[in-house]
Amino acid sequence: MTFLITAGPTREPIDPVRYISNRSSGKMGYAIAEAALDAGHDVILISGPVNLTPPRSTNFISVSNSDEMFDAVHQHADSSDISVLCAAVADHKPAQVSPVKIKKRAGEFSLELVPTRDILQSLGWRQDRKFLLVGFAAETDHLEANAWQKLRKKNCDIIVANDVRVGMESDENELLILFRDGETKRISRAPKNFLARELVKIFLNSQQKSLTKKM
Ligand code: CTP
């Protein structure tokens, strides 16, 4: 099987020296890539800027901003059997990128932001999609309700939800997994590499089930 995995944050440029980003470490996505490789699968890892070494023998694609990640995912998704969008893509980017460094000015100033394209949603609603599509939901409140809403809105097969206060920048996480057919599964707090191995098994199992249904 081939896994496409996105990981890490994106950086949305403001000018040549500044950007908007978030605290995603990329650890969960890299752990899933590692677990899939260990289980004998092929991995295309599309990563934003992180302080991690890509696992050996991945097809590794390094990107910086959300537009680059969008293009890389769309270019490679059809080569995958399972696409796992773990990256913390910025929801907004500056409306204009200044080609020169913005100088300090006296008093307040505001930055106009526009929405980025939602990569998961754009794949979810593709009519010809053949691969299993997994999204992540990082929440601080109403975890389960928000995660169900994301699954329906983005039309994916599985949402892996976590409370950001537990998982962000940490080596451990606690997961709630929601399936399109209404099933749910919980995995209690554990190291991210243990969770990654469990997730790979769960994704393969779902992919197998959806193949059998289509036959
Ligand atoms: N995602 C994406 N493209 C974006 C934003 C998010 O593909 N522009 C994906 C993420 O990779 C993740 C899922 O959507 O798999 C959910 O991301 P999250 O940030 O939790 O959800 P949002 O849709 O951004 O909603 P909100 O920030 O309001 O919770």
Side-chain angles (χ1 to χ4, degrees), residues 6 85-91 116-121 134-139 150 153-154:
T6 70
L85 302 200
C86 204
V89 184
D91 288 330
T116 57
R117 289 172 293 176
D118 194 304
I119 306 168
L120 181 61
Q121 193 163 331
V134 182
F136 274 67
E139 308 290 346
K150 257 171 217 177
K153 184 169 156 211
K154 306 196 186 197

Side-chain angles (χ1 to χ4, degrees), residues 195-207:
L195 297 173
R197 286 196 294 274
E198 292 304 303
L199 287 176
V200 164
K201 284 186 233 160
I202 291 169
F203 300 158
L204 286 165
N205 195 20
S206 290
Q207 211 269 349

